[in-house]
Every structure is written in C-alpha cells, then in structure tokens.
Amino acid sequence: MAQSVASAPALVHGHPGDSRPAGPPRRRESSRHTYGAIDLGTNNCRLLIARPNAEGFTVIDAFSRIVRLGEGLSQSGELSEEAMDRAVGALAVCADKLRRRNVSIARSVATEACRRATNGDKFADRVRNETGIVLDIIPPQEEARLAVLGCHKLLEPGDGPALIFDIGGGSTELVLIDQEDGTPRIRAWWSAPWGVVSLTESEGREHIEGPNRVAAYGRMRERARHAFARFATMLPEEKEGIRLLGTSGTVTTLASVHLALPSYDRRAVDGLHVPIEAMQSISTMIAGMDYEERSTLPCIGSERADLVVAGCAILEAIMEIWPAKNLGVADRGIREGILRSLMARDGWVL
C-alpha cells in the first residue's frame, strides 16, 4: 500500500537511530575510515566504496549487476531460488570488495523486493550466512530519505518546490521537498507499488511486445497515474518555479538516448537537465518499438529492452502530475545517501 508523511526532519547530519546530541557538524581533515554502501533493489545490486575529503568523497571502488531479485514476485509473493542465487552471487562479489578495500564502516540495504516477499527475512539470513553481509530491509520512507540525500545537490537552482523521484524495480518513491540554506526538507512523500519489474509483469510481456503494444503502454501509464493520484492532491497548486529530478536507470537511460551516446557515459548524464518535451518524445518512441528495435539502441541493449517501456510509462505519469520545464538526471541515489549519512555521523560536512 502506498504511504505518505506530511513532514519530516532535515535529511542531513544523522542516521536512523543516531541518538547523539545535536550540535554544529565537525569537519575533519582526514579520515581513518573507508566507507561502503550496498543497495540491493528489485532489479539491481549496487556497491559504492569511498573515502571522505574536503570536497565530498572520493570513490575507491564500485560495482553494479542486474540480478532481477524480484522476478516473478508479483505472481508468487516469494523470491525465487534462481533470483536469490543471482543476488547472493552479486553480494559475494561485494563482500570480497569490502574486504579487499579494508572497509571499516558500511551499511547494506534491501528495498521493495525483500519488503514484499514472504521469504524476505529468510533470504537476508542466507545472505548473512553465506557472505557476511547484514542486509537492512528498510521501509519506503527511509528509501526515499536516502535517495534524496544522495542526489538533491543536482537540483536546478531555484526557490520553488522540487519533486525528486526514484523509479525502482518494485516500487517508485516520490518526494516533495523544499530547501532552506541548501538543506532539503521533506514536505510529503509517496511510495507506489509499481516499478519497472512489477509494472511489466502486471501487463505481461506478450502484450508489451505484441501488435497492440501502444495500447498496452497506455494501460501501464494509467496504472501509474492511478497509483500517484492521491499524492497528486498533496502537491501545491501553484506550479511556478518547480523543479524535477529523477534518479533511476530509466532516466539515465533515456538521457543517454537523448544525447545519442554510443555507450553509457556517467559524466555526460549525471547532472544533465533535459527538456520535458524531449523526454516525452523519447518515451513515446520507445513505447512504439518492439524488443529487437529497443535492443539496438546503444544505451538500452538487451539487458534493459524488456523493462524500459514500463519505466517510460511511470516517468510520463510523473511528468504529468509535476509539469516542470526540465527533468534533472541523477546517476546517484541510495548508495550516495548511505555514504553521506555514515560520513555525517562521523562529523563530515558533505
């Protein structure tokens, strides 16, 4: 079920459960710690290892693998053995990197697939036994908080309210924020049960790839609109000066198509601002393609070709309820939010 909260404290300088007294943050000249962050989602497993510095943090190592942990979850209610095997394999790679990089402080989170699955806790136990990684199955509000903390610095300059969203594999988080002195404060948030995996499975690949695929795309877009309808009533009526920022594989992929990149380039995509009309045109184009046609697009390929259509449907629904002029694109999110939280707890101002 979707969830919302009317207000929340500032996102910086803390960590859930951190009971230390409030006070001015401390900047340290050097750090004895190396920090790690793992984000295990419905579709991907991602790792980031970094050390803090005066400008932010320096990435020491990174890893990303499509594991499709939530594949079939919407029908069975459970994580399949094959999906769990893929995820454990990826997490074993992460555990090896954490050891080799001498990571001293780390946090590993799991999101919608493990939240929804009846065997999510059992899977987390298996991960701990086989890899040593302790997975924290976080609630949607914490997922939204970390995503915002990880990417809000890429918002376009301005004083108007901003909507930050994260299209995941099993859910989509939308967060309305305002900023005071550069500090983001959550005004409202929403977690919808549609991500690229769950929405694709709700429609069925045979319809998405069939001759009536444009109609199938329309049905998926309507499901997303319906899921966002209550959140839309919480948004301010005044739509002047609003800003929109997305962090997900969907927005980075479409931004790459917009730039006609021959291969994915994070430096070209992260922080890009794309006119909404361009994103709408690309979404419409992709919805009309079949799997083979989508696979030939360099930054989509066969790994993303089956799920990108659902991502486009969700994105169009978001752009409809929050009609900003441009879409900000962030190739950063939960992992960076985890790192900033951990480093801030140690006194770093990032």
Side-chain angles (χ1 to χ4, degrees), residues 21-337:
R26 307 178 310 280
R27 178 183 295 281
R28 298 183 177 178
E29 298 303 319
S30 62
S31 176
R32 67 181 184 277
H33 294 302
T34 300
Y35 297 80
I38 294 175
D39 170 21
L40 178 63
T42 301
N43 198 44
N44 290 279
C45 175
R46 298 183 177 97
L47 164 72
L48 204 59
I49 298 173
R51 294 193 187 104
N53 57 40
E55 289 73 38
F57 56 77
T58 301
V59 174
I60 305 301
D61 206 343
F63 173 77
S64 179
R65 180 183 292 177
I66 294 176
V67 295
R68 305 207 174 193
L69 179 61
E71 190 171 58
L73 175 62
S74 60
Q75 285 83 35
S76 68
E78 293 185 339
L79 304 175
S80 71
E81 290 297 326
E82 295 81 4
M84 289 190 288
D85 289 344
R86 291 193 296 265
V88 170
L91 289 168
V93 175
C94 294
D96 183 61
K97 286 180 175 290
L98 292 172
R99 285 189 292 268
R100 288 193 292 108
R101 295 295 186 178
N102 296 313
V103 172
S104 50
I105 299 176
R107 187 183 184 198
S108 305
V109 304
T111 55
E112 181 67 12
C114 289
R115 283 196 297 262
R116 187 181 301 181
T118 57
N119 58 344
D121 289 334
K122 183 178 179 181
F123 168 69
D125 290 339
R126 176 185 170 186
V127 169
R128 183 171 187 170
N129 291 334
E130 295 188 22
T131 70
I133 291 173
V134 179
L135 281 179
D136 181 9
I137 303 176
I138 58 174
Q141 184 178 3
E142 173 67 356
E143 182 179 355
R145 185 191 80 90
L146 290 171
V148 170
L149 182 56
C151 72
H152 73 92
K153 291 182 180 294
L154 294 182
L155 278 167
E156 285 185 297
D159 298 323
L163 183 66
I164 297 178
F165 65 91
D166 182 359
I167 302 173
S171 66
T172 296
E173 276 62 52
L174 303 99
V175 190
L176 178 67
I177 72 166
D178 55 25
Q179 291 172 294
E180 297 178 8
D181 301 323
T183 300
R185 294 185 180 275
I186 294 177
R187 293 174 55 179
W189 69 278
W190 195 258
S191 180
W194 298 121
V196 295
V197 175
S198 55
L199 189 57
T200 298
E201 291 182 349
S202 77
E203 183 62 30
R205 287 181 172 84
E206 67 278 9
H207 297 297
I208 296 172
E209 306 302 339
N212 296 318
R213 54 182 171 269
V214 174
Y217 178 75
R219 289 192 295 270
M220 288 193 292
R221 193 172 57 213
E222 285 304 314
R223 289 190 191 98
R225 284 174 178 164
H226 179 73
F228 300 151
R230 185 176 168 194
F231 180 70
T233 66
M234 303 166 64
L235 299 174
E237 294 183 5
E238 178 57 50
K239 294 294 195 294
E240 291 297 322
I242 63 175
R243 295 164 293 162
L244 182 63
L245 178 65
T247 167
S248 70
T250 294
V251 294
T252 56
T253 297
L254 297 194
S256 301
V257 174
H258 169 71
L259 294 174
L261 296 178
S263 61
Y264 185 73
D265 184 352
R266 182 184 188 276
R267 294 169 298 177
V269 168
D270 188 51
L272 185 69
H273 295 277
V274 182
I276 290 294
E277 293 80 5
M279 281 298 201
Q280 290 171 328
S281 296
I282 293 169
S283 296
T284 300
M285 176 190 73
I286 289 174
M289 292 178 166
D290 62 23
Y291 178 86
E292 296 301 326
E293 291 170 326
R294 297 192 301 272
S295 296
T296 62
L297 295 176
C299 292
I300 293 180
S302 58
E303 277 198 330
R304 295 187 179 276
D306 58 336
L307 301 179
V308 68
V309 178
C312 290
I314 296 169
L315 176 60
E316 283 215 70
I318 293 170
M319 293 188 296
E320 181 177 297
I321 66 171
W322 194 251
K325 293 181 180 179
N326 298 306
L327 171 63
V329 179
D331 186 351
R332 59 181 80 179
I334 291 175
R335 292 177 304 169
E336 288 80 2

